[in-house]
Amino acid sequence: MFQQIEKSIAAAVAAHIQIRYGVDFPVLLEQPKQTDFGEIAIPVAFQLAKQLKKAPRAIAQELVAELPPIAGVSGLEVAGNGYINVRLDRGLYAAGLLSGDAAASAPDTAGKIIVEHTNINPNKAAHIGHLRNAILGDTFVRMLRAMGTEVEVQNYIDNTGVQVADVVAGFQHLEHKTPADVAALIANPGRPFDYYCWDLYARVSSYYDGHPEAKQWRAETLHAIEANQGVEAELAHMVADAVVRAHIATMLRLGVVYDVLPRESEILHLQFWATAFEQLKERRAIHFETEGKNAGCWVMHAEAFLDSGATGEEADKIIVRSNGIVTYVGKDIAYQLWKFGLLGKDFYYREWVVYPNGHRLWVTTDQPQTATPRFGSAARVFNVIDSRQAYLQYVVAAGLRALGYTKEADRSIHFSYEMVALSPRTCVEMGIELSEADQRKPYVEVSGRKGLGVKADDLIDKLIENALREVDARHPEDPEEKRREVATQIAVGALRYFMLKFTRNSVIAFDFQEALSFEGETGPYVQYAAVRARNILRKLADRGLALPDFRSALGREAFARQLAQEDLWQLLLALSKVDVAIARAVDSGEPAHVARYAFQLAQSFNNFYHGYPVLAEQDPEKRVFLLWMCDYFRSQLDRTLAVLGIEAPEYM
RNA sequence: GCGCCCGUAGCUCAGCUGGAUAGAGCAAUUGGCUUCGAACCAAUAGGUCGGGAGUUCGAAUCUCUCCGGGCGCACCA
């Protein structure tokens, strides 16, 4: 609705400028800083001033005087030194919202988008840094889907890498465990396997520090994994599969789901790299070095991807090592090519798990399968990866460009975000000993290698526990199962909102006290507003009254009367902008915008809630109107919360 | 050394493509529960938008420079 009016205003003004001044000018609209300036501001006079060599205010006055009437607009006025402020016809606007005039937005035809997120090394439990990645990625996916875009969600599994190898080495050489022993650990419900690996990985890492010669375990294990034989390979598969299952379960607790898990093992076994390697050699995107420090390696020359700065051997990027083994970047180039359907190969797929809602998650396999879906071949790709890997992402895109795929390189988007670190206070709470250097820092980096971090499941458990205490205190009479369900919804709301309220390039210094808060700008605050609206409607039913038929009871005139009240109009206007908020967040790639929008809606509604006792309202028209506001608020906030992956509990 | 990011209220952060009096939350002080349940609301106080220069009708926002902090720059991923 709002977008339609904006469009017609922009078109009308542009058309008039064309006729009146003979210039083509894109008309941009703004949101006025202050609500009493109207609903929309047109700053076009400022831009025209230069071209027409005329005072902005004079141009604005001419435009206001001469513009033909625009549907839905009740008035235009000149303000400041050249703004044109637009006043909407409130009654007409509200009536339009009620009748659902807002035509469904046209489905996106730009093609499928792949969003890759989570990507946790399958050798340890997920921690808060991974949560930021998954929640950011999942929310972005929900935003895109809300806009009608086809999205495929991939979670890349590096099951043949160094990190898995280290844990395998730990099982073999530090714990002398057989595959049967490890199978028993995986089956043990008493201690989650990903937690076990968390500790073991830290132990192996510190053992390496004291015994550098032990690093040959890693080399041997990697070798075995690559050849796909021996106990090492067997253990690697067991570890990776079990840990991935744990990650999938952890993320499901937060409503994060995937479509497909592409695995590195298949990239290797199905010769994805070999195919990409041929392309790269053929198109001379990489070069074999016969001398210098990179002798024996295949490298991408720095000139290919650096515009300026250091070039030459130092800056060249090694793609294939002198021992013939491809680097991560090389594999990633192959994977990225596949995502765009440029590799000329595909994986086979088998079902990994069926989610409770029936959605199927697929995993890649090297064994031919029948009747499975197809993945890949997207028009655009978003890789949700933290900003520390910007350089590598840049090299991958450069690889595509070097192959001549400039369009695809441009459509390979590194959806970057800053890391989650630990606040000094939280480190103290967790009993983490800090080095002197760390103590001086404003925050401490999480490290899986050191086992330094807050595990995702621990945090979720703690949040649920806290929420449950509150729920228990308020609703002791309710069955425990129900209370736990509500507490879980609150916990998830708190966590998802916490991770989303920061813009992407702000470092989060994770602080327990802050993350566990349910007051102020938090998920539960927003959920509470939704619950309140629902309570009003439920109370109505409890009193044996039916929800009025809004369409017959409320017309343009009634709306105009009620919306003369400024705060009510402002609330309604804000509520009507869900799609605007989502579209803006998609354009800027900033899920935080949707989170903030939800918070503002909740804030406005809480204000309304205090100012207008809906059920006690005596005036019949006003009462119906207020009920409609509650109903409309509830439905608009639900849509917004759905995009954020947050549910509104039945009660709070 | 080179590259990227950040510096806004005591603290944590918003501020959309430069626009009209810089906004939230927390913390502080004060007031509000007669159930549409206070996980809330209202009010007060709190800012030279790191410093300086420039661009222009206009700069927290763009450019340059300096200061302070973070992260990258492996034959690890």
Side-chain angles (χ1 to χ4, degrees), chain A residues 300-364:
Chain A
M300 193 186 295
H301 284 160
E303 302 84 70
F305 55 94
L306 295 177
D307 306 329
S308 61
T311 51
E313 204 174 62
E314 282 300 319
D316 290 349
K317 186 72 203 168
I318 290 165
I319 306 298
V320 181
R321 302 174 178 105
S322 55
N323 64 4
I325 296 177
V326 60
T327 60
Y328 162 80
V329 176
K331 283 180 281 195
D332 216 25
I333 289 172
Y335 176 33
Q336 194 75 3
L337 286 171
W338 170 79
K339 287 186 196 163
F340 283 109
L342 297 173
L343 196 65
K345 301 189 85 129
D346 199 357
F347 297 104
Y348 301 111
Y349 306 95
R350 66 184 165 81
E351 205 174 279
W352 176 263
V353 77
V354 181
Y355 285 112
N357 71 354
H359 182 69
R360 279 158 211 283
L361 171 59
W362 299 80
V363 66
T364 55

Side-chain angles (χ1 to χ4, degrees), chain A residues 87-110:
Chain A
R87 309 249 170 213
L88 299 183
D89 182 328
R90 300 180 178 188
L92 194 65
Y93 189 78
L97 293 175
L98 175 54
S99 65
D101 269 358
S105 54
D108 190 338
T109 52

Side-chain angles (χ1 to χ4, degrees), chain A residues 406-464:
Chain A
T406 48
K407 197 177 64 185
E408 285 78 7
D410 292 341
R411 293 177 184 174
S412 300
I413 297 147
H414 177 199
F415 196 85
S416 79
Y417 62 93
E418 280 289 345
M419 64 176 167
V420 182
L422 301 175
S423 76
R425 182 169 60 180
T426 291
C427 289
V428 171
E429 279 168 17
M430 292 177 63
I432 295 170
E433 279 186 41
L434 298 180
S435 66
E436 273 184 44
D438 280 344
Q439 279 173 6
R440 281 195 297 270
K441 289 185 174 182
Y443 42 74
V444 180
E445 204 170 336
V446 168
S447 165
R449 217 177 60 80
K450 294 181 194 157
L452 182 63
V454 177
K455 296 188 202 68
D457 283 314
D458 285 349
L459 177 58
I460 298 169
D461 290 343
K462 204 160 174 173
L463 281 161
I464 292 175

Side-chain angles (χ1 to χ4, degrees), chain A residues 520-579:
Chain A
E521 201 202 329
T522 65
Y525 176 96
V526 181
Q527 291 171 311
Y528 190 57
V531 167
R532 285 179 138 181
R534 193 180 168 283
N535 278 351
I536 293 174
L537 300 172
R538 196 184 51 199
K539 231 19 181 232
L540 187 75
D542 286 352
R543 294 179 191 180
L545 301 169
L547 203 60
D549 176 10
F550 297 126
R551 288 189 193 220
S552 61
L554 294 167
R556 183 178 169 181
E557 290 77 20
F559 274 128
R561 274 190 295 276
Q562 299 303 327
L563 290 167
Q565 190 72 37
E566 192 60 28
D567 53 348
L568 294 175
W569 167 239
Q570 290 305 330
L571 173 59
L572 179 64
L573 188 66
L575 291 176
S576 72
K577 292 186 184 172
V578 174
D579 296 308

Side-chain angles (χ1 to χ4, degrees), chain A residues 176-398:
Chain A
H176 307 289
K177 286 202 160 48
T178 64
D181 297 334
V182 174
L185 284 176
I186 290 171
N188 175 17
R191 177 147 178 75
F193 186 68
D194 56 334
Y195 277 42
Y196 191 99
C197 291
W198 173 282
D199 293 337
L200 181 55
Y201 181 48
R203 267 177 66 206
V204 173
S205 299
S206 75
Y207 188 83
Y208 283 160
D209 291 342
H211 309 78
E213 74 285 357
K215 283 204 176 171
Q216 64 163 350
W217 300 341
R218 176 192 282 175
E220 287 162 7
T221 309
L222 281 173
H223 217 74
I225 291 173
E226 179 146 10
N228 201 18
Q229 35 182 264
V231 194
E232 289 89 351
E234 190 184 345
L235 283 173
H237 272 121
M238 291 173 72
V239 168
D241 278 9
V243 173
V244 168
R245 285 193 192 279
H247 292 163
I248 297 298
T250 301
M251 295 310 170
L252 181 60
R253 296 178 83 185
L254 303 174
V256 177
V257 299
Y258 312 90
D259 297 320
V260 64
L261 307 176
R263 298 192 303 185
E264 188 157 87
S265 50
E266 277 72 52
I267 294 208
L268 291 172
H269 300 150
L270 292 171
Q271 311 291 314
F272 273 35
W273 164 244
T275 310
F277 193 26
E278 287 311 312
Q279 280 197 34
L280 287 163
K281 283 192 285 196
E282 205 173 296
R283 313 226 181 152
R284 300 182 182 281
I286 58 176
H287 308 271
F288 187 73
E289 299 288 340
T290 53
E291 54 188 25
K293 91 183 231 301
N294 296 332
C297 299
W298 286 88
V299 307
M300 193 186 295
H301 284 160
E303 302 84 70
F305 55 94
L306 295 177
D307 306 329
S308 61
T311 51
E313 204 174 62
E314 282 300 319
D316 290 349
K317 186 72 203 168
I318 290 165
I319 306 298
V320 181
R321 302 174 178 105
S322 55
N323 64 4
I325 296 177
V326 60
T327 60
Y328 162 80
V329 176
K331 283 180 281 195
D332 216 25
I333 289 172
Y335 176 33
Q336 194 75 3
L337 286 171
W338 170 79
K339 287 186 196 163
F340 283 109
L342 297 173
L343 196 65
K345 301 189 85 129
D346 199 357
F347 297 104
Y348 301 111
Y349 306 95
R350 66 184 165 81
E351 205 174 279
W352 176 263
V353 77
V354 181
Y355 285 112
N357 71 354
H359 182 69
R360 279 158 211 283
L361 171 59
W362 299 80
V363 66
T364 55
T365 167
D366 53 9
Q367 300 303 312
Q369 307 283 315
T370 52
T372 64
R374 317 278 291 174
F375 297 100
S377 298
R380 268 189 297 164
V381 173
F382 287 84
N383 296 327
V384 182
I385 305 180
D386 80 72
S387 62
R388 285 170 292 191
Q389 299 198 45
Y391 174 66
L392 293 170
Q393 284 294 301
Y394 185 76
V395 175
V396 169

Side-chain angles (χ1 to χ4, degrees), chain A residues 152-167:
Chain A
E152 181 175 303
V153 187
Q154 304 190 352
N155 174 6
Y156 182 75
I157 310 296
D158 182 5
N159 58 344
T160 64
V162 173
Q163 297 206 12
V164 169
D166 284 348
V167 169

